[in-house]
Amino acid sequence: CSQSQDYFDVGYKVYMGPKRYFVTSDVGRGRIQWYAFVAVAEGEEVPQDPLEKREYVKAAFQGWSSQISDLLDATPANTVEDRSLYDRPPSVLKSWADGPVALLGDACHAMMPNLGQGGGQAMEDAHCILQKLKDLTDRRQVPDALQDYYRSRIFRASAVQGLSRVASDILLGTFTFPWKAEEGLSAPYGKGRGDVSYESVVVNYLRHILPGAFTAQFTFLYSFHPYKWSKEEVKVLVADVMDRHKKEAAESWQRRQDAVEKGEVEKFEEECRQESFFALVAQVAGGIEQK
């Protein structure tokens, strides 16, 4: 649990810099989840020891916002995980379905996480499969229905894969300190810190087109939603969530404060710790291998 002054006002933050960026998001009950994205050179070793892993992240973002260092200091080392990120080209020449079996989600269209669409596209796949199968009357109809599912989803999923890759390339490749015309051709803050280059000029002028690009991008990403919420429904839902959220966060922060006063912080953090999705998948995979 980590309490910040703007916890209820800003649910998602992105700190950006050359070849790396840091993301924080509010995940309820007074907790903050964070991701550190770093372009790691091929062959570079990432520490495996939990304490060393956390220090590796701190070193990567040294000199950045104090909110990042405060958050890292408040993070139990044994909860820090690392993983490499991979995507794949769209499977436009090979169906996701074979007979009565079909793939969905990352199994058939893995993508970079920069648009938060890996899980979203898996849910869209599942909804599409449901629609294709719900009215069948004979098992022999299943293979054709699953091929129809593939044909219905391949172009949208491929487009989202492409958008995710472009976002990843911009954030971890092109993004740098922006060049400002009023500073001339020099590098007032040092080499690579705003001097004239292809990347710095692009980043400077991107700010003029990004608002419109983001609006178009997210309109497309969320256009699949099968239920159209009214403004009043959204207002009621948000108010209910925020009321519950504030109550649960206050209770969690108080429990942590009590643990600090009793000298039982480690015990409290261990009680609050939850296995991540990736850790649970690894456990399941290990059990399957043993069988």
Side-chain angles (χ1 to χ4, degrees):
C1 301
S2 179
Q3 184 173 1
S4 60
Q5 293 181 344
D6 56 2
Y7 183 76
F8 297 113
D9 300 316
V10 184
Y12 190 84
K13 298 180 185 178
V14 181
Y15 304 84
M16 300 173 64
K19 305 295 183 183
R20 64 200 61 197
Y21 64 104
F22 193 94
V23 179
T24 72
S25 60
D26 152 26
V27 291
R29 295 202 296 270
R31 300 168 301 166
I32 293 176
Q33 169 177 263
W34 59 263
Y35 309 91
F37 292 86
V38 180
V40 178
E42 186 174 355
E44 181 178 341
E45 293 290 334
V46 176
Q48 294 305 305
D49 177 76
L51 285 173
E52 293 180 1
K53 192 175 296 184
R54 187 176 63 181
E55 291 305 311
Y56 176 87
V57 178
K58 291 177 69 173
F61 293 92
Q62 185 176 9
W64 287 44
S65 169
S66 60
Q67 291 187 347
I68 294 178
S69 56
D70 290 345
L71 187 56
L72 292 175
D73 287 336
T75 302
N78 62 1
T79 64
V80 179
E81 300 178 358
D82 73 274
R83 62 188 57 87
S84 300
L85 299 176
Y86 301 95
D87 61 1
R88 57 175 294 170
S91 182
V92 294
L93 299 179
K94 186 175 182 180
S95 175
W96 303 337
D98 185 5
V101 178
L103 301 175
L104 59 77
D106 281 351
C108 51
H109 47 65
M111 59 189 70
M112 291 288 107
N114 306 85
L115 298 182
Q117 282 296 302
Q121 291 305 300
M123 288 187 280
E124 289 187 12
D125 290 343
H127 180 268
C128 186
I129 290 175
L130 170 65
Q131 298 304 309
K132 301 299 181 184
L133 298 181
K134 67 179 183 178
D135 295 325
L136 301 188
T137 58
D138 192 300
R139 290 184 179 181
R140 289 172 294 184
Q141 298 172 309
V142 170
D144 287 342
L146 293 180
Q147 291 298 335
D148 191 27
Y149 145 69
Y150 165 73
R151 290 189 292 269
S152 298
R153 290 287 300 147
I154 181 60
F155 294 109
R156 176 174 168 81
S158 297
V160 177
Q161 279 183 288
L163 288 171
S164 298
R165 165 54 69 130
V166 169
S168 175
D169 289 346
I170 290 176
L171 289 170
L172 292 177
T174 303
F175 188 84
T176 185
F177 293 88
W179 170 72
K180 298 178 181 178
E182 61 269 22
E183 294 174 350
L185 302 179
S186 62
Y189 306 108
K191 180 68 175 175
R193 294 175 175 268
D195 50 330
V196 177
S197 67
Y198 167 77
E199 290 82 4
S200 63
V201 172
V202 167
V203 169
N204 180 52
Y205 290 104
L206 269 178
R207 60 193 172 94
H208 298 293
I209 64 173
L210 283 180
F214 283 148
T215 298
Q217 172 181 277
F218 287 107
T219 297
F220 168 69
L221 291 177
Y222 299 121
S223 62
F224 186 87
H225 199 295
Y227 183 82
K228 306 303 180 185
W229 299 88
S230 69
K231 289 185 178 180
E232 187 58 34
E233 287 176 316
V234 172
K235 185 177 179 180
V236 172
L237 180 64
V238 171
D240 178 63
V241 170
M242 286 304 299
D243 288 343
R244 184 173 69 252
H245 182 30
K246 290 180 179 180
K247 178 181 177 181
E248 292 176 346
E251 291 173 351
S252 294
W253 291 333
Q254 185 58 53
R255 286 175 56 213
R256 191 180 196 284
Q257 182 60 38
D258 292 342
V260 170
E261 294 175 356
K262 295 177 181 178
E264 299 177 350
V265 174
E266 291 185 3
K267 178 182 177 182
F268 171 78
E269 290 178 344
E270 188 60 33
E271 291 175 351
C272 292
R273 186 186 177 203
Q274 295 179 331
E275 292 288 357
S276 73
F277 166 79
F278 299 98
L280 293 173
V281 168
Q283 292 175 15
V284 172
I288 293 175
E289 291 177 357
Q290 291 176 2
K291 293 180 180 179

